[in-house]
Amino acid sequence: MDHSTVRVSVSPEPSVAEPVPGIVLIFSGDQPRCAPIPLDRGSVVVGRGGVGGVPLMDDSLMSRRHARIAYDGGAWTVEDLGSTNGTSVNGEPIRGEVRRDAIQVVGAGTSVFLALSDIRSFARGGVRVEKESVLGPRLQLIYDTIIRAAAAGDSLLVTGESGTGKELAARAYHEAGPQARGPFVAVNCAAIPEGLAERLLFGARRGAYSGATHDTDGYVQAAHGGTLFLDEVAELDAAVQAKLLRTIDTRQVLELGAVAPRPVQIRICAATHDLRARVAQGRFRDDLYYRIGRPEVRLPPLRERTEEIPWLLAQCAKAVGAAAQSGSPTIHHSMIIACAMRRWPGNLREFVGEARRAVTRALDEGRRTVEAKDLDPLAGVGLSPEALEPHARPTASDVRPARAGQAPPEDEIAEALRLERGNVSRAAIRLGVHRNRIRRWLEKNGVDRSHFAEGSDLSDND
């Protein structure tokens, strides 16, 4: 399937202001989908013929009447209607009916659904794939703002967690503006060595410092006629911030060692996690913030854009398959569910790396289908970086005192499972908690404890 440009039509946007609860079909057969389905009178039945007027794509594992999904404004109910191949909630198979306050993912046959208390954001469009970017409905709204900013002004601030795609957003800003044919110069301000920021940004004249044997342009001059992207702009020191402000205001750049400035035409796109907080702490100049801090767009983390995951997986499978000259492998629905259940604190940067490793693992084993078992058990769950080796059963010094109902940190749970090779009961003993806490963590993150086993016996002796 060609994923270069994909548009999915949906029903018209509701005129009501109230939330519209519903489900969103994000995968069916072996293809990404994006189809919002409102709950008719609070419930909908999923079956082979489709759901809510949305057809399912070649779902051979779906029964004629497979499952019922309902929402009453306070809790979700999922009922398996005697299907042949079963229904899952958050990656766990269910029997009969389950009721929960919140549900992330429902699996039925090979189809995967998100359960959302409000699906109105999906009414404007589905998922759009453009060049390197996968744009779900939330991200499309943000990119609309970026395009308007490119037409209206000469600066943009992009905020968001690390790995959310800020450079891709900056490139979209550049390509939508009048200087799109000019250069796009990306600078990671956090990676500039201490004491070299002024020279690297603004350039230097011959003799400006010891070893300066010729005139050297900086990043600002390199971006003349185009866009200068300052990633992690909050890391610039105060003296450089002042000179950057003057360069923007005067449209002139004064090289280190020069006596007269040179004209320069640049657009500034800056990015950081939270620039307002740096200003409030006195760590970033407020006058420079007022110059480059508006308009501002915030990129949501991947956990708020779950509908993009199947499309990102398809991109990764295609890229890895092409590199291996083996063609694009198929994505199994279990892989979609496993990825959708994880938090991905590293966002796109982490997800793409882990997805490609999973695809490579499947191909290396001679399989043409990428399954949940190919995903590293620690991927996307925010674990500590220490390398952990499996050991024997916990000694008395290893066992933590009971926590009186307090949940242990997630990295400690993962460490205990690694040390106990996936044995839930022994991991619970090590942490001083009930084993159900460990099971809830596994379910929440879509992690199969067998990934921690490394050939050991998984019996919990419950």
Side-chain angles (χ1 to χ4, degrees):
M1 180 179 179
D2 182 9
H3 295 282
S4 58
T5 303
V6 181
R7 295 180 182 271
V8 181
S9 60
V10 294
S11 56
E13 185 171 0
S15 59
V16 296
E18 294 79 12
V20 179
I23 58 177
V24 179
L25 175 66
I26 63 170
F27 191 81
S28 184
D30 60 356
Q31 297 293 331
R33 301 284 302 276
C34 186
I37 303 161
L39 300 184
D40 183 22
R41 298 183 180 179
S43 69
V44 68
V45 173
V46 176
R48 185 183 304 147
V51 50
V54 175
L56 301 180
M57 295 179 62
D58 192 26
D59 192 340
S60 59
L61 299 183
M62 181 76 73
S63 297
R64 188 178 64 83
R65 284 175 53 84
H66 197 105
R68 183 179 66 89
I69 304 173
Y71 181 68
D72 62 8
W76 290 86
T77 301
V78 179
E79 179 186 7
D80 182 81
L81 301 176
S83 66
T84 302
N85 295 296
T87 303
S88 68
V89 171
N90 293 347
E92 291 293 323
I94 65 170
R95 295 180 180 177
E97 180 181 292
V98 298
R99 180 178 172 83
R100 297 186 183 175
D101 292 341
I103 287 176
Q104 292 171 260
V105 184
V106 177
T110 65
S111 299
V112 181
F113 302 87
L114 303 180
L116 302 174
S117 59
D118 191 1
I119 62 170
R120 285 178 298 166
S121 64
F122 289 84
R124 70 180 306 275
V127 171
R128 195 166 73 230
V129 181
E130 298 178 350
K131 297 181 180 179
E132 302 176 67
S133 300
V134 174
L135 307 179
R138 297 168 180 83
L139 214 52
Q140 288 177 41
L141 286 172
I142 293 169
Y143 269 61
D144 288 347
T145 301
I146 291 173
I147 292 171
R148 289 194 297 270
D154 57 6
S155 67
L156 176 71
L157 176 64
V158 183
T159 60
E161 296 179 8
S162 176
T164 48
K166 292 191 281 290
E167 183 167 343
L168 292 175
R171 287 187 180 275
Y173 169 76
H174 169 70
E175 292 170 1
Q179 294 177 288
R181 293 184 179 273
F184 176 85
V185 178
V187 181
N188 184 349
C189 299
I192 297 177
E194 186 176 359
L196 297 182
E198 182 177 3
R199 184 196 316 174
L200 292 175
L201 280 171
F202 306 108
R205 300 298 295 270
R206 178 182 177 184
Y209 55 90
S210 177
T213 59
H214 56 279
D215 294 346
T216 305
D217 284 344
Y219 295 128
V220 170
Q221 292 93 327
H224 176 66
T227 301
L228 179 64
F229 173 50
L230 298 175
D231 196 11
E232 303 297 343
V233 67
E235 300 300 322
L236 291 176
D237 63 54
V240 175
Q241 290 177 31
K243 191 165 184 176
L244 177 62
L245 176 62
R246 182 162 184 80
T247 297
I248 297 172
D249 283 343
T250 64
R251 299 185 183 277
Q252 293 179 322
V253 58
L254 183 67
E255 298 120 323
L256 192 65
V259 296
R262 291 167 52 187
V264 66
Q265 289 292 331
I266 57 171
R267 289 187 152 218
I268 298 289
C269 183
T272 190
H273 180 54
D274 188 351
L275 197 55
R276 289 179 64 89
R278 290 296 189 105
V279 174
Q281 296 163 3
R283 299 171 64 185
F284 194 84
R285 294 178 63 104
D286 55 358
D287 49 4
L288 179 56
Y289 170 77
Y290 295 136
R291 187 65 179 82
I292 68 172
R294 287 290 184 270
E296 175 184 345
V297 294
R298 173 191 171 271
L299 299 184
L302 184 58
R303 61 183 173 273
E304 296 178 11
R305 298 148 47 188
T306 310
E307 67 278 358
E308 297 175 10
I309 283 178
W311 305 88
L312 291 166
L313 281 170
Q315 279 189 332
C316 293
K318 183 178 181 180
V320 173
Q325 298 182 337
S326 61
S328 180
T330 300
I331 304 296
H332 194 267
H333 60 276
S334 66
M335 180 66 170
I336 302 294
I337 293 174
C339 290
M341 286 299 301
R342 303 195 185 189
R343 294 181 298 118
W344 300 107
N347 294 294
L348 292 176
R349 185 180 295 117
E350 177 188 16
F351 179 84
V352 169
E354 294 293 348
R356 292 191 175 197
R357 279 186 280 274
V359 175
T360 301
R361 186 175 295 116
L363 293 178
D364 286 348
E365 294 180 2
R367 291 181 286 108
R368 300 293 305 163
T369 301
V370 185
E371 304 177 33
K373 66 181 181 181
D374 296 312
L375 187 65
D376 190 285
L378 304 186
V381 295
L383 305 173
S384 59
E386 292 83 3
L388 304 172
E389 296 295 333
H391 297 293
R393 294 172 181 261
T395 63
S397 61
D398 293 324
V399 177
R400 298 180 183 272
R403 295 176 180 251
Q406 179 184 1
E410 298 203 353
D411 58 343
E412 292 186 14
I413 294 176
E415 178 181 0
L417 284 167
R418 177 70 70 88
L419 294 174
E420 298 305 333
R421 301 189 179 187
N423 187 293
V424 172
S425 291
R426 292 205 303 266
I429 292 172
R430 180 182 288 274
L431 293 172
V433 299
H434 194 278
R435 58 180 176 266
N436 283 345
R437 285 200 183 276
I438 311 296
R439 289 175 177 150
R440 283 195 292 271
W441 180 87
L442 290 168
E443 178 185 345
K444 181 184 76 171
N445 289 298
V447 177
D448 187 337
R449 64 193 179 103
S450 65
H451 287 294
F452 296 97
E454 297 186 6
S456 66
D457 179 13
L458 280 179
S459 173
D460 280 341
N461 300 318
D462 293 343

